[in-house]
Amino acid sequence: MSRIGKKPIVIPDGTTVKIDGRAVAVTGPKGELAFSYPAGIKVAQDDGVLIVTRTTDEKQNRAFHGMARALVANMVEGVTNGFSKQLDLVGVGYTVEQKDSDILLHLGYSHPTYFQAPAGVEFEVINRNTSVIVKGIDKQLVGQVAAKIRSLRKPEPYKGKGVRYSDEYVQRKAGKTVGGVA
């Protein structure tokens, strides 16, 4: 049995869960999210707790059990507290500017890069325009947007310049040495 799938999901105060057929809708102080779970999975609400079970022990249902539970738990967490990822810009002249709800990135190219915020995501520029926080209620969307920003200029291993996550470690390489061994 799935260890993650067996864990009950506690519904915090101020958050409501509505189960309709194979769809789960979670509403909280930060917004609303919906999810349609696979056919072999069942979600039940009991005294402020959500329990995710599977109908049969087929391989497909076992595979979806933990995933469905994790997605529903992330929805509850997202509408209650939200998710965020911090990105740091490392390099001379690497900066970020807030333009309304979007950001303008200067990443060492001959032109600045304009990045539009998709619906459900907002940006916050901090730390002297060298860090940006990506915030939202959908964990997958926040991670995807942060990964797209990082892909604009990935950290390189020689000088460490680029866009990186705040908790990311970039292992540095030694450069080439001058002169050969005789």
Side-chain angles (χ1 to χ4, degrees):
M1 181 114 187
S2 171
R3 284 187 230 151
I4 292 176
K6 283 194 288 188
K7 289 183 179 180
I9 303 166
V10 178
I11 303 169
D13 293 335
T15 303
T16 58
V17 177
K18 189 179 188 182
I19 302 169
D20 183 30
R22 285 191 8 228
V24 177
V26 183
T27 307
K30 294 208 177 249
E32 181 177 350
L33 290 173
F35 169 64
S36 185
Y37 52 88
I41 304 298
K42 183 180 173 189
V43 179
Q45 187 173 359
D46 185 38
D47 293 333
V49 174
L50 285 175
I51 298 167
V52 179
T53 56
R54 58 181 183 247
T55 55
T56 63
D57 216 22
E58 293 178 19
K59 186 174 183 176
Q60 189 74 32
N61 293 342
R62 287 194 318 256
F64 285 150
H65 187 200
M67 178 202 68
R69 189 262 177 212
L71 290 174
V72 173
N74 286 340
M75 286 173 31
V76 171
E77 176 72 21
V79 298
T80 306
N81 301 324
F83 294 102
S84 67
K85 289 239 182 215
Q86 181 175 338
L87 297 164
D88 296 332
L89 282 67
V90 178
V92 176
Y94 285 27
T95 59
V96 60
E97 297 174 34
Q98 186 97 32
K99 297 283 186 186
D100 298 326
S101 64
D102 306 327
I103 55 174
L104 189 65
L105 298 150
H106 300 276
L107 299 173
Y109 297 119
S110 61
H111 54 83
T113 306
Y114 187 75
F115 195 91
Q116 289 184 322
V121 172
E122 58 186 53
F123 299 119
E124 180 184 340
V125 176
I126 58 169
N127 199 12
R128 295 175 150 193
N129 297 341
T130 59
S131 295
V132 63
I133 298 176
V134 182
K135 296 180 187 178
I137 61 172
D138 187 355
K139 186 174 186 176
Q140 188 270 334
L141 185 60
V142 168
Q144 183 70 37
V145 169
K148 280 185 180 178
I149 294 171
R150 183 182 179 272
S151 72
L152 295 173
R153 180 72 99 171
K154 290 184 181 173
E156 56 95 19
Y158 295 101
K159 292 184 180 178
K161 294 168 36 169
V163 180
R164 64 174 78 160
Y165 298 112
S166 63
D167 57 352
E168 180 180 8
Y169 173 73
V170 177
Q171 187 167 358
R172 304 283 294 274
K173 291 183 178 179
K176 292 183 178 180
T177 56
V178 179
V181 177

